[in-house]
Amino acid sequence: MQCSLFGQADVWIQRDDLLHPLISGNKFRKLQFPLAQLPSGAHVISMGGPWSNHLHALGYALQQKGIPGTVLIRGGAWQQTAMQADLQRWGIHIQYADRETYRRLREPDYWRQCVPDAGAQAVWLPEGGSDPAALHGVAQMVRELPFVPDTIVTAVGTGATLAGILAGMAGRGRVIGVAAFQGADYLHQEIARLLQAAGYPAYQNYQLLTDAHHGGFARMTPVLIADAQCFVRETGIPLEPVYTGKLVSAVAALVRQGTIRTGECLLLLHTGGLQGLRGIHRDSGWPGALA
């Protein structure tokens, strides 16, 4: 892939944004195994933000399979988004959670207090689809590649995609994760937990970048916007600012810093999430913004 941001570095991109028009990217990968393992009569319950890529992909998949679902969305009914309108159209039940309740939903089984009538057939999918079984679907991506790159770089939210790539690489090369938010150091423990729970060795051949978030989750800076504009203009590949834009900007910084070794083959994972462009205003300068 040729882009002036990357100089002479040998950079490739895995276009998982093209897997499916609605449930593309890492969410497509992460849902494969958890949904395939659902018991008969299951009612799926999960959580996410008002523009959650996970909830968008999950809602569509459940509608296609005829499986009922309830989602707990951070915020309130006043914060309507196109993503939530899609969920409603697909028959997904929406409940809202204030910030404190949403934070506590990350505690084991706390969700049952928010959905007390869920019933015995209720199945919980964690935030971002970060279920241990999700790693198997992400690992398949690595096995589908025509070659084994020296380094795979991915954006990071919950850590499950990075853990799944580690599982697929099986100790080969290295994986670089670009955290999309501040204070992401705890993800080291989460990555180790997910690998263990999914039955994989405790792979350590990765690096987590925790200072490439551009001010925090869903924040944009002039540097981030400029890098995205350059990348989209020169490659024609769309990006969104929450994850994939930060991925590209971080790799460009690594190249400028000389961190990438001469002759090193890098593969960038495009994790999709382009539905979120519907919430980005055109006057922000973001390429492809739709609001």
Side-chain angles (χ1 to χ4, degrees), residues 162-196:
L162 191 154
I165 295 172
L166 287 171
M169 290 290 277
R172 299 169 296 180
R174 67 168 172 164
V175 181
I176 298 176
V178 181
F181 55 92
Q182 294 176 321
D185 287 322
Y186 75 92
L187 287 175
H188 291 289
Q189 289 73 40
E190 181 64 8
I191 290 164
R193 183 192 71 80
L194 286 166
L195 285 168
Q196 181 182 38

Side-chain angles (χ1 to χ4, degrees), residues 7-271:
Q8 300 302 309
D10 184 15
V11 179
W12 298 70
I13 186 166
Q14 169 67 17
R15 295 288 307 275
D16 268 9
D17 60 308
L18 300 178
L19 285 174
H20 188 278
L22 288 176
I23 51 173
S24 66
N26 62 336
K27 306 309 179 186
F28 179 95
R29 304 280 187 184
K30 291 161 75 173
L31 287 173
Q32 284 180 297
F33 281 80
L35 293 187
Q37 296 171 2
L38 289 176
S40 177
H43 183 124
V44 176
I45 301 174
S46 193
M47 64 186 284
W51 281 103
S52 169
N53 295 322
H54 161 62
L55 293 187
H56 192 253
L58 176 63
Y60 179 81
L62 293 179
Q63 185 264 345
Q64 290 292 296
K65 293 176 177 290
I67 300 171
T70 296
V71 298
L72 298 156
I73 294 180
R74 184 183 68 249
W78 52 269
Q79 195 173 3
Q80 290 295 313
T81 66
M83 189 281 292
Q84 294 173 62
D86 287 344
L87 292 182
Q88 291 167 342
R89 188 171 68 254
W90 296 330
I92 304 301
H93 178 64
I94 294 176
Q95 293 183 203
Y96 294 96
D98 60 32
R99 289 191 174 274
E100 176 60 20
T101 300
Y102 190 85
R103 183 189 63 78
R104 295 200 62 189
L105 283 169
R106 296 171 180 141
E107 300 173 8
D109 292 329
Y110 181 78
W111 62 272
R112 291 190 178 278
Q113 298 185 37
C114 300
V115 194
D117 57 349
Q121 293 300 98
V123 176
W124 173 253
L125 277 185
E127 185 177 24
S130 189
D131 186 272
L135 273 61
H136 305 316
V138 178
Q140 283 186 339
M141 181 277 295
V142 179
R143 292 192 286 271
E144 293 170 6
L145 296 174
F147 61 91
V148 178
D150 298 313
T151 301
I152 296 180
V153 192
T154 183
V156 175
T158 63
T161 297
L162 191 154
I165 295 172
L166 287 171
M169 290 290 277
R172 299 169 296 180
R174 67 168 172 164
V175 181
I176 298 176
V178 181
F181 55 92
Q182 294 176 321
D185 287 322
Y186 75 92
L187 287 175
H188 291 289
Q189 289 73 40
E190 181 64 8
I191 290 164
R193 183 192 71 80
L194 286 166
L195 285 168
Q196 181 182 38
Y200 293 106
Y203 296 118
Q204 298 291 323
N205 54 314
Y206 77 94
Q207 177 184 2
L208 182 64
L209 304 182
T210 59
D211 58 355
H213 48 70
H214 292 268
F217 190 74
R219 299 289 181 87
M220 290 187 282
T221 63
V223 170
L224 178 64
I225 294 170
D227 284 346
Q229 290 173 338
C230 178
F231 180 86
V232 174
R233 181 176 64 250
E234 295 183 15
T235 69
I237 299 172
L239 301 171
E240 47 71 43
V242 180
Y243 296 104
T244 53
K246 292 178 181 179
L247 166 72
V248 164
S249 188
V251 172
L254 292 175
V255 171
R256 290 193 300 268
Q257 296 162 9
T259 303
I260 306 302
R261 301 186 299 271
T262 302
E264 181 178 3
C265 177
L266 269 72
L267 182 121
L268 279 58
L269 175 60
H270 195 309
T271 50

